[in-house]
Amino acid sequence: MPLKESLCSSCCSCFLSSSLLTNLNFMSSLEARTGRLRQRYDENNLRLVSGCIPYRLTKDDGNQNDDIENKIEVAMVSSPNRSDLVFPKGGWENDETVIEAACREALEEAGVKGILRENPLGVWEFRSKSRQDLLSQEGGCKGYMFALEVTEELESWPEQENRCRKWLNIKDAFELCRYEWMREALEAFLGVMAKEEKIETEEEKVDPPTTSPLSEVVAECQIISSSNCYVNPSSSQHHSINALSAFPWQITLKRFPLT
């Protein structure tokens, strides 16, 4: 049976060790937000969207020659009556930061919690409806994508009745991904992870790193905006993430029609 048919239908800054880490700590009883009363728009009336690529590292088989894409699985979600998949994403609202929006969407749509890397994978412009005039601003969106290292999977989540969570290897994720702009985000994610792995390998050759339990890292974090997100205060970068004008990210905007 083809992989697509086997799925349930109902159901820029680089990642460096100095990147700020945000820990998602939402309550599992959170209800999914609906409507667009709090929706943010940019100066060109583009709807602002935030999402993430949830991932986990697979068991190390000891093969040092494996590419990074063979060591990672990503979580994607389905939509009703469709066989393709998407990464969790949704509207960025005016009572949250772009990071909190990405964390919320991960929990609402995929039922996962974890550690969100604050530096985005990139920014993409796309349209929410494929039949709209490409010259019109109607339906235009600007999406910010992040990477979320999953530390917890919930047995139930707000949109579980309409979305199945599916863990995939990178090859299958590319095959089943619905949107071209999301495939570009996945490529950016792989590039960042490969670079980070190379840096860690080089550091291990010089001096084996020491690690701290996640609980200790979280305990040292400084709460921002709400109890749902934490930012490690050890970084020298301190900035607002509530407005686009304050973003320090060096990222390239890419535009895609939705197909």
Side-chain angles (χ1 to χ4, degrees):
M1 179 180 294
L3 182 58
K4 287 187 177 182
E5 295 180 5
S6 68
L7 296 177
C8 175
S9 60
S10 66
C11 326
C12 152
S13 297
C14 292
F15 284 154
L16 300 178
S17 58
S18 60
S19 296
L20 294 178
L21 301 180
T22 300
N23 180 59
L24 174 60
N25 189 31
F26 278 109
M27 297 295 293
S28 60
S29 60
L30 178 69
E31 294 183 0
R33 293 191 179 192
T34 58
R36 297 186 179 180
L37 293 178
R38 294 182 176 273
Q39 175 63 54
R40 290 180 187 254
Y41 295 87
D42 73 355
E43 64 277 5
N44 295 317
N45 204 34
L46 295 177
R47 179 174 177 245
L48 299 183
V49 169
S50 183
C52 66
I53 297 179
Y55 73 95
R56 66 187 180 189
L57 299 179
T58 58
K59 292 183 178 180
D60 189 355
D61 59 4
N63 189 349
Q64 299 298 324
N65 296 322
D66 274 354
D67 294 333
I68 186 65
E69 65 183 76
N70 296 322
K71 302 176 182 179
I72 293 177
E73 290 181 333
V74 294
M76 304 186 75
V77 295
S78 64
S79 299
N81 304 317
R82 295 194 65 122
S83 59
D84 50 13
L85 301 172
V86 296
F87 292 111
K89 59 102 177 145
W92 172 16
E93 302 190 348
N94 61 16
D95 63 342
E96 61 187 354
T97 67
V98 67
I99 289 176
E100 290 170 330
C103 291
R104 174 175 56 77
E105 291 296 337
L107 185 143
E108 289 181 358
E109 294 192 353
V112 294
K113 301 180 181 182
I115 302 173
L116 190 82
R117 301 274 183 160
E118 186 188 37
N119 289 336
L121 298 170
V123 183
W124 287 265
E125 284 189 8
F126 58 94
R127 296 190 172 277
S128 60
K129 295 180 180 179
S130 59
R131 295 183 179 180
Q132 290 176 340
D133 184 355
L134 294 179
L135 298 179
S136 170
Q137 288 292 341
E138 185 180 0
C141 300
K142 182 184 290 184
Y144 296 80
M145 291 295 288
F146 300 84
L148 176 78
E149 182 178 2
V150 174
T151 59
E152 181 180 356
E153 296 179 58
L154 304 180
E155 294 184 0
S156 61
W157 60 95
E159 297 187 23
Q160 185 177 13
E161 291 186 1
N162 296 318
R163 297 185 185 276
C164 281
R165 177 179 63 219
K166 185 76 175 181
W167 284 100
L168 301 166
N169 60 41
I170 298 300
K171 179 181 178 181
D172 290 339
F174 273 114
E175 177 185 342
L176 292 167
C177 188
R178 183 183 309 169
Y179 304 131
E180 177 63 26
W181 73 270
M182 281 193 174
R183 283 190 285 271
E184 280 227 355
L186 184 55
E187 289 178 356
F189 165 72
L190 284 178
V192 165
M193 294 299 289
K195 185 172 183 177
E196 184 178 63
E197 183 185 48
K198 181 179 179 181
I199 292 174
E200 290 178 351
T201 300
E202 292 175 350
E203 289 178 347
E204 287 176 358
K205 292 179 180 179
V206 177
D207 185 18
T210 57
T211 58
S212 299
L214 177 60
S215 58
E216 294 182 10
V217 175
V218 173
E220 294 174 357
C221 290
Q222 174 183 354
I223 298 177
I224 62 166
S225 300
S226 72
S227 61
N228 293 326
C229 291
Y230 300 82
V231 172
N232 190 329
S234 62
S235 172
S236 59
Q237 287 185 318
H238 297 279
H239 52 269
S240 169
I241 50 178
N242 289 286
L244 286 174
S245 60
F247 286 1
W249 306 323
Q250 302 299 316
I251 47 183
T252 302
L253 176 65
K254 300 179 182 180
R255 295 176 171 84
F256 286 91
L258 192 65
T259 57

